[in-house]
Amino acid sequence: MELLFIDLNWELLKAVLIIIGLDLILGGDNAVVIAMASRNLPKVNQNKAIVLGTSLAIIIRVCLATVAIYLLTIPYVQLIGGLFLFYIALKLLNEKEEEVNIESSTTLIGAVKTIVVADLIMSFDNVLAIAAASNNNVMLIVFGLAVSVPIIIFGSKIILMLMNRYPIIVYAGASLLAYTSADLILKEERLENIFMSIPNEHLYLPLVSIVLVCFLGFSNKMVKR
């Protein structure tokens, strides 16, 4: 009983840490959007716009992730979602830094609307990754977002600076996505018989996914040079 309790606690803690890590790695652009959308507001309203816009964005993300959890029960959607997460991991390693062009507003309502709409458009990868890591637990999604979003808002510049200065952080983020990708694919019940024929599949498939995404990302960077 005690070992089962420890195992359950570790699974819960692991899911929370993965959700927070995914949101930190994938949330840099969203943090820039928040800053740019509110930059022309009077200082008094800037914090209000950030808090209101982010609160609404969190609620929408929770709703979308909850819907995604149920969508992942459809046959082969977990396989498709896992492959898409693998693609996102590769994109994270290969994308070039682009200037984000967000129209700022001079009104509180306008800034909040910009934050919510832009976050909704940009957060699909976040939502899918978080839903995949949540083990079908909506409360984990709420907790993970509640912890990570304030860090993104107030620490976005530090996060982006560290990612630019230390590429290993980006590789760590891509590895986390690759792990989540493999974990999601392994949950595809229609492929369970195939996976069961692979020894220690829950160890080797995530490891292969991580090595493959890092190898492809690094190789692509070498070719571009």
Side-chain angles (χ1 to χ4, degrees):
M1 178 67 76
E2 187 176 345
L3 287 175
L4 179 62
F5 179 73
I6 292 172
D7 186 53
L8 287 174
N9 274 352
W10 164 241
E11 288 299 316
L12 186 67
L13 178 61
K14 183 177 77 170
V16 169
L17 291 176
I18 289 175
I19 288 172
I20 293 172
L22 289 170
D23 216 41
L24 289 176
I25 292 295
L26 295 172
D29 288 343
N30 303 66
V32 173
V33 166
I34 292 169
M36 294 187 71
S38 58
R39 71 184 186 275
N40 285 339
L41 286 175
K43 205 149 192 175
V44 178
N45 286 334
Q46 280 182 354
N47 288 339
K48 290 181 182 178
I50 290 171
V51 171
L52 283 172
T54 305
S55 298
L56 289 173
I58 291 173
I59 292 170
I60 292 172
R61 282 200 199 189
V62 170
C63 293
L64 289 176
T66 303
V67 172
I69 286 175
Y70 291 106
L71 289 177
L72 289 173
T73 62
I74 298 172
Y76 297 109
V77 169
Q78 294 194 89
L79 173 62
I80 295 168
L83 293 174
F84 184 69
L85 283 181
F86 188 86
Y87 165 75
I88 293 172
L90 281 176
K91 186 181 174 188
L92 180 67
L93 290 177
N94 295 322
E95 67 183 2
K96 295 180 180 178
E97 188 175 342
E98 298 177 356
E99 186 177 346
V100 183
N101 186 20
I102 298 295
E103 181 182 348
S104 60
S105 177
T106 56
T107 66
L108 178 61
I109 294 176
V112 169
K113 185 176 79 171
T114 300
I115 290 171
V116 172
V117 172
D119 187 83
L120 178 62
I121 294 170
M122 298 172 66
S123 65
F124 178 74
D125 52 356
N126 306 54
V127 167
L128 178 60
I130 289 170
S134 69
N135 294 324
N136 299 330
N137 191 327
V138 177
M139 291 309 298
L140 278 183
I141 295 173
V142 175
F143 181 77
L145 287 173
V147 172
S148 58
V149 169
I151 298 173
I152 291 171
I153 296 169
F154 299 110
S156 60
K157 289 184 180 179
I158 297 173
I159 294 167
L160 293 172
M161 181 191 72
L162 289 174
M163 287 175 69
N164 288 328
R165 181 173 295 182
Y166 304 107
I168 189 67
I169 296 177
V170 182
Y171 277 90
S175 297
L176 188 58
L177 274 168
Y179 172 86
T180 307
S181 163
D183 191 51
L184 185 58
I185 292 172
L186 283 168
K187 292 175 183 175
E188 181 54 67
E189 293 181 0
R190 276 76 188 173
L191 301 177
E192 187 176 358
N193 290 334
I194 297 175
F195 295 141
M196 287 180 66
S197 65
I198 303 172
N200 297 315
E201 73 280 8
H202 283 86
L203 173 63
Y204 289 124
L205 287 181
L207 184 60
V208 168
S209 182
I210 291 170
V211 171
L212 184 59
V213 79
C214 289
F215 174 75
L216 291 174
F218 182 76
S219 299
N220 191 57
K221 287 183 182 294
M222 291 296 102
V223 169
K224 286 181 179 179
R225 287 182 182 178

